Amino acid sequence: MSTQNHHTILGPNDGPAAEVVNPQGTAPICLVCEHASAFIPSNLADLGVAPEHRYSHAAWDIGGLDLAKALSKTLDAPLVASRISRLVFDCNRPPSAPGAFPERSEVIDVPGNVDLDDAARAARVTEVYDPFRTLLKTTLDGFSTPPALVTIHTFTPVWFGQPRDVELGLLHDSDDRLARAMMANRPDGLDAQLNAPYSVTDGVTHTLREHAIPRGLQNVMIEVRNDLVSDAAGVARFTDILSTMLTKALATQEAL
């Protein structure tokens, strides 16, 4: 359906695939937002996604970038963010994963990802995933002391018709130190859970596995229900909650 040149994803005016916000941040924390953008380069003709779905949760983590930027400012921490929709390439998946090029997200079809040939897949890896991966690696290399790696995500209140009551999920891979320390410092009245609404078995911890585990970095994947960060007040509330939880958790870990 697309006239895409398989060897060209980003056009000359599309800018880089990833960026660093607050690169001079001094906190020993590296924030990451893999699903920060709904942008689909014009060369991909919106991947055939229906207009009413272009800015849905299928394309990005709604509220995720606003929350990540606010945390970056509050904590004074660098933030590595993708500038390309996860429908083009999900930077929290390895290129070998089917979900890296989703043909369908919940009930939303992505026609432009159906039957991709090897050249089309390779172009997306080269132009979207590899720059993101390299930028994150370079940012981590630039810390004078090993930082904690914290990824910021949001999730929908309803999935396949089923309501999700959890408000905050703290996910971990093989290293649960930071996730559990944050849970111990959660505020009263907040429905926070470990490994909810996803877990490692859903294949969502690629960034942690790729960049934190091999370096021995403390790490956590944060998931906030997106209706709770849909406006400035919600973002401010969770910025305060998460920055407090994270700061206290890291202080606890340093004391051990």
Side-chain angles (χ1 to χ4, degrees):
M1 44 74 60
S2 170
T3 58
Q4 167 198 352
N5 177 339
H6 286 172
H7 302 287
T8 304
I9 303 299
L10 299 178
N13 298 318
D14 289 336
E19 64 179 341
V20 182
V21 177
N22 191 17
Q24 304 304 319
T26 60
I29 300 168
C30 182
L31 298 170
V32 183
C33 193
E34 301 100 316
H35 306 148
S37 175
F39 177 65
I40 298 175
S42 59
N43 284 342
L44 298 182
D46 288 342
L47 294 174
V49 175
E52 63 268 26
H53 299 317
R54 276 282 292 106
Y55 294 93
S56 71
H57 188 72
W60 63 331
D61 278 356
I62 297 169
L65 182 60
D66 289 341
L67 178 59
K69 283 184 172 180
L71 283 167
S72 173
K73 182 177 181 180
T74 297
L75 296 167
D76 191 28
L79 163 64
V80 178
S82 173
R83 298 185 64 254
I84 308 297
S85 171
R86 62 165 153 222
L87 295 181
V88 178
F89 190 101
D90 187 334
C91 286
N92 193 31
R93 299 290 190 279
S96 59
F101 315 92
E103 297 181 3
R104 186 175 175 86
S105 177
E106 194 186 13
V107 298
I108 297 172
D109 291 319
V110 189
N113 285 347
V114 176
D115 296 328
L116 290 176
D117 61 27
D118 290 344
R121 290 172 178 265
R124 297 197 196 183
V125 172
T126 299
E127 296 188 44
V128 180
Y129 176 70
D130 285 348
F132 173 85
R133 183 171 180 259
T134 298
L135 186 60
L136 179 49
K137 178 183 182 299
T138 301
T139 302
L140 289 170
D141 288 343
F143 282 84
S144 57
T145 58
L149 191 151
V150 179
T151 69
I152 306 298
H153 297 260
T154 66
F155 63 94
T156 56
V158 178
W159 184 251
F160 284 105
Q162 296 300 311
R164 290 161 156 174
D165 294 329
V166 61
E167 297 174 311
L168 170 65
L170 300 174
L171 284 59
H172 64 80
D173 196 272
S174 58
D175 182 352
D176 64 357
R177 291 174 295 167
L178 188 52
R180 292 190 180 279
M182 288 183 69
M183 277 293 291
N185 287 282
R186 66 189 184 277
D188 293 337
L190 180 69
D191 188 342
Q193 300 178 27
L194 283 176
N195 294 326
Y198 313 107
S199 73
V200 64
T201 58
D202 298 306
V204 298
T205 57
H206 172 65
T207 297
L208 305 185
R209 186 175 294 182
E210 177 80 9
H211 297 276
I213 304 298
R215 295 173 183 252
L217 303 179
Q218 293 199 68
N219 61 89
V220 65
M221 179 177 177
I222 293 174
E223 287 273 4
V224 179
R225 207 174 68 203
N226 67 23
D227 60 316
L228 302 177
V229 288
S230 62
D231 57 23
V235 170
R237 175 185 173 226
F238 269 88
T239 298
D240 181 61
I241 289 172
L242 292 171
S243 60
T244 300
M245 289 173 66
L246 185 56
T247 301
K248 288 183 176 179
L250 289 173
T252 300
Q253 294 297 294
E254 290 174 3
L256 295 178

